[in-house]
Amino acid sequence: MLGICIELKTTCKHCSSPLMLNAFTENVLCPSCYKFNVFDGEEWKNLLEDALQEAPKMELGEGQPSTIMRGQYTYQLMYGRQEPRCGKCKTNIDLSKIEEFSVKGSAVCSKCSAEIFVRKPDELIAESFSNVKYLVGEDDDQLKKNPEPGKLPSSAKPVLFTCPACAGNLEIDGTDRMVNCKFCDSQIYLPDDLWLRLHPVKEVSRWYMVLDENALPPQGKMPEWYYLSDMIADRQGNVYFATAQDGENDFMVWSIDKDLNTRWIRKDIKFNYEHTRMEIAHDGNLYLYNENRHSLVKVSSKDGSLIQKIEGSKDRKKLNMKGCKRLVAYPDGTLLTNINHVFARFNEDGERVELWESKKFGLFSAGAGDDIPEGDGEWAPYVKDVGSNPKKINGDFTYMNIGLDGYLYMLDRSSSDGELAKFELSGTQVWSKYIPLNYKECRPCQDERGYIYIIGTDDKSNTRIIRYHTSSDSFETIVTDLKEGGFLEEEDTIAVLPDGTVFAAKFHNRLKVFSPTMDMIYRSEQSKEDDELEQRRRKDKIEKDEEFED
């Protein structure tokens, strides 16, 4: 849980008097003209969306002012990273008791005994910000469903006033400025100083939202991303994403099930989105690694919690992930890595073990393989250049995956002559095939029928998904580019479920899902916008070409 502080004010649309938004509420009564200003859920979402994205990445105590102009209102907003505290003496409240406070409706400051309003989000808030779990320090007068104009605020108390006609003591509650003396029946107009005492001018006050960083989005929604580091599917039909929104300390790993429901989100994994990749472990959990980090991290596939972190050894004879471009997990728990173009195999404790175990009688194994250099400057062969028991391969151009059939597949992403190769786990090459695509930016994915799926572009830069049929020894194009009447629009990453369902994605919330029969069964809002824009461009071009021919 972390706290976000908010200070927000604007002016009344009816009388232009200052209007303080000291609570997250839909109806705010102007204390000057006694008319309501309405701020619906969409307005609040636009006001606070950036604040809730930016503030969690700030240092504790850091804040940011902002001016927002929307329709009839100009808002002055201050937001920042601060734990909820008492507005009077600045003492932090105990977040470990926040649930207890929300049930009671308030917390009592441990230092000055001031009452601090605490509540859980209502429907208005939950619809826009599912990660907000509590609100603290709001003005409870603004939260009343039907506030009465001129009514004494709950923070004030009635006062005694002497009738100027008969000197009788009157208890004034501030409901009306004209009052009748109960002793002499005189009408009395309350003086300015008393009226202002009962109705003090509202000042902007700081209130707080308490967030759960790992909260799930609303049903049917996925987390948003801009950068897509990697995407991978497991044997149970779950898909895992490594993404970031703007790249500044907001890396996250999350998972959806085969029905596209978000299973979990982890925003507390400290990785950089650049060069981060994932791999399914032999036990079904998830490995995370980055070529610029020394360590290897293993998280739970059930909830993303940390299971293991293998610290990188300074001794290259043990696991050190610095320079690791590719990794696959063998069924026996060992890890085959490509580090600075050199193949190396490690056990789960990070110790280097025998690289290839040839199954053929009379052949010698490759031993542990070559020494791992500190950099990747040395030349290394491509997939088409290697045979059985390779010791080196160009990791920048090679993707690896262990298929559902238990074989190791390597794919060369080079533009013109890339090949797909199949290996036994012992290192023996079974075959190598030319891939009829130019650029390929994905690991080769296999379904339970044995088909191997690849996404890339052809020589006309059209995006295509193809699959290799092992039985017929042939490639088949199964999804084509939008420009060819298909569905793809520059997607560059795929994940394939065991039943053949294909997830195709790229940066900025773009995702499409195809059934095993290659019908498009899901398209994100951003992908839909992109597709419609591309179709309009195509239509305009055709019309212009026809006009030119006429």
Side-chain angles (χ1 to χ4, degrees):
M1 296 285 187
L2 59 85
I4 304 298
C5 64
I6 299 291
E7 290 181 9
L8 182 61
K9 62 183 179 180
T10 185
T11 55
C12 174
K13 71 175 183 179
H14 305 289
C15 69
S16 299
S17 296
L19 186 66
M20 310 305 160
L21 303 183
N22 294 335
F24 196 136
T25 185
E26 193 166 13
N27 297 299
V28 179
L29 183 70
C30 175
S32 298
C33 68
Y34 299 130
K35 292 183 179 179
F36 282 102
N37 292 259
V38 179
F39 306 94
D40 60 18
E42 187 65 25
E43 187 75 0
W44 277 107
K45 182 178 180 180
N46 282 284
L47 284 174
L48 298 181
E49 193 169 31
D50 288 346
L52 266 70
Q53 288 181 0
E54 297 298 326
K57 295 177 283 186
M58 294 178 175
E59 296 294 330
L60 195 62
E62 182 182 358
Q64 174 71 44
S66 177
T67 299
I68 304 170
M69 291 180 285
R70 284 186 53 80
Q72 297 172 290
Y73 296 97
T74 297
Y75 301 90
Q76 301 297 321
L77 169 66
M78 190 288 298
Y79 61 90
R81 174 78 173 84
Q82 188 177 71
E83 300 306 324
R85 63 185 189 179
C86 173
K88 292 184 178 180
C89 69
K90 315 305 181 189
T91 300
N92 285 5
I93 72 167
D94 187 353
L95 280 183
S96 67
K97 298 180 180 179
I98 190 72
E99 175 64 23
E100 176 187 335
F101 296 150
S102 70
V103 173
K104 293 180 180 178
S106 65
V108 176
C109 177
S110 60
K111 184 176 181 180
C112 70
S113 300
E115 190 174 29
I116 305 164
F117 188 75
V118 181
R119 66 172 174 135
K120 288 185 177 180
D122 55 21
E123 186 176 348
L124 175 69
I125 303 166
E127 286 180 354
S128 299
F129 305 110
S130 59
N131 58 339
V132 175
K133 298 304 176 184
Y134 304 95
L135 292 100
V136 180
E138 294 173 289
D139 181 348
D140 59 336
D141 286 313
Q142 288 195 347
L143 289 170
K144 289 181 170 60
K145 294 292 183 183
N146 297 296
E148 299 175 20
K151 187 175 181 181
L152 189 72
S154 60
S155 58
K157 296 179 180 179
V159 298
L160 292 177
F161 179 71
T162 301
C163 173
C166 69
N169 285 330
L170 305 176
E171 189 176 82
I172 305 299
D173 63 6
T175 302
D176 297 300
R177 191 152 191 181
M178 291 292 295
V179 297
N180 289 325
C181 177
K182 63 182 179 180
F183 301 106
C184 67
D185 204 31
S186 298
Q187 276 202 325
I188 306 165
Y189 182 76
L190 299 181
D192 289 346
D193 56 349
L194 176 58
W195 185 252
L196 289 175
R197 160 68 180 83
L198 294 169
H199 298 274
V201 176
K202 283 278 187 184
E203 295 181 352
V204 67
S205 62
R206 185 170 297 184
W207 50 279
Y208 301 85
M209 292 183 285
V210 180
L211 312 184
D212 179 359
E213 286 190 286
N214 297 320
L216 299 183
Q219 186 72 19
K221 298 285 187 179
M222 296 183 197
E224 294 187 347
W225 73 90
Y226 187 83
Y227 298 103
L228 176 62
S229 303
D230 200 7
M231 178 175 67
I232 193 170
D234 65 15
R235 292 173 180 264
Q236 285 68 48
N238 302 309
V239 183
Y240 304 88
F241 296 78
T243 64
Q245 188 65 24
D246 61 21
E248 294 295 328
N249 302 317
D250 61 355
F251 176 81
M252 64 178 176
V253 180
W254 48 282
S255 175
I256 60 175
D257 61 23
K258 60 183 178 181
D259 297 319
L260 309 183
N261 296 311
T262 303
R263 300 173 60 230
W264 52 262
I265 301 171
R266 300 298 298 190
K267 295 183 179 180
D268 51 359
I269 300 174
K270 303 302 180 183
F271 268 70
N272 188 291
Y273 76 92
E274 290 187 283
H275 308 300
T276 290
R277 300 195 64 81
M278 299 182 291
E279 173 63 19
I280 303 298
H282 77 287
D283 58 6
N285 290 305
L286 193 67
Y287 282 119
L288 287 167
Y289 64 99
N290 185 299
E291 65 180 77
N292 295 319
R293 292 172 61 110
H294 297 276
S295 58
L296 175 66
V297 171
K298 187 179 187 181
V299 300
S300 168
S301 59
K302 293 181 179 179
D303 58 13
S305 59
L306 180 66
I307 294 177
Q308 181 186 22
K309 182 179 181 181
I310 303 177
E311 297 290 349
S313 171
K314 294 181 180 179
D315 182 0
R316 280 290 188 179
K317 293 180 180 179
K318 292 187 176 182
L319 182 67
N320 183 332
M321 297 298 290
K322 179 80 170 179
C324 181
K325 305 293 177 66
R326 310 294 170 207
L327 176 149
V328 292
Y330 271 39
D332 63 0
T334 58
L335 305 173
L336 177 64
T337 65
N338 182 269
I339 303 175
N340 293 329
H341 304 324
V342 171
F343 280 117
R345 192 171 169 188
F346 300 89
N347 63 24
E348 291 184 281
D349 295 323
E351 297 174 344
R352 195 164 180 181
V353 297
E354 189 174 29
L355 177 57
W356 304 113
E357 298 174 356
S358 178
K359 293 182 178 179
K360 294 184 178 180
F361 179 79
L363 291 181
F364 294 99
S365 73
D370 291 349
D371 291 337
I372 300 173
E374 288 302 318
D376 60 359
E378 295 183 11
W379 178 88
Y382 295 85
V383 172
K384 65 184 179 65
D385 302 316
V386 301
S388 296
N389 303 325
K391 293 186 177 182
K392 289 184 178 180
I393 204 163
N394 192 309
D396 291 318
F397 283 85
T398 305
Y399 287 93
M400 301 192 302
N401 198 18
I402 293 181
L404 297 182
D405 58 5
Y407 285 88
L408 171 65
Y409 291 90
M410 298 187 196
L411 178 151
D412 184 347
R413 71 179 184 89
S414 59
S415 60
S416 59
D417 56 356
E419 294 192 5
L420 172 69
K422 178 179 181 179
F423 292 81
E424 294 179 356
L425 297 186
S426 63
T428 301
Q429 188 182 88
V430 180
W431 49 252
S432 186
K433 309 289 182 183
Y434 166 74
I435 306 169
L437 287 173
N438 280 3
Y439 289 100
K440 291 80 62 179
E441 291 293 344
C442 68
R443 57 172 61 83
C445 302
Q446 188 179 47
D447 67 14
E448 58 194 6
R449 297 170 294 181
Y451 297 147
I452 301 167
Y453 297 75
I454 303 169
I455 192 170
T457 57
D458 64 11
D459 54 4
K460 296 181 180 179
S461 298
N462 294 319
T463 305
R464 292 184 172 185
I465 298 176
I466 65 173
R467 66 184 176 195
Y468 175 71
H469 295 248
T470 53
S471 58
S472 61
D473 188 22
S474 62
F475 285 94
E476 172 194 13
T477 299
I478 53 175
V479 188
T480 58
D481 196 290
L482 203 65
K483 292 178 286 187
E484 302 174 285
F487 300 108
L488 299 174
E489 214 274 308
E490 298 183 353
E491 289 78 13
D492 55 16
T493 302
I494 60 170
V496 179
L497 304 189
D499 66 359
T501 299
V502 177
F503 289 70
K506 63 175 179 177
F507 70 97
H508 195 196
N509 304 319
R510 293 165 169 95
L511 176 66
K512 295 172 184 173
V513 183
F514 301 93
S515 71
T517 57
M518 293 304 113
D519 297 314
M520 187 165 64
I521 57 177
Y522 173 82
R523 180 172 56 167
S524 67
E525 287 299 319
Q526 188 61 53
S527 289
K528 183 179 179 181
E529 288 181 21
D530 289 354
D531 292 352
E532 290 174 349
L533 178 61
E534 177 61 28
Q535 287 171 335
R536 286 197 298 270
R537 287 174 178 167
R538 287 179 58 211
K539 183 179 178 181
D540 291 344
K541 184 178 184 303
I542 291 172
E543 290 176 352
K544 288 180 180 179
D545 290 344
E546 289 176 348
E547 289 177 4
F548 179 77
E549 290 176 0
D550 292 340

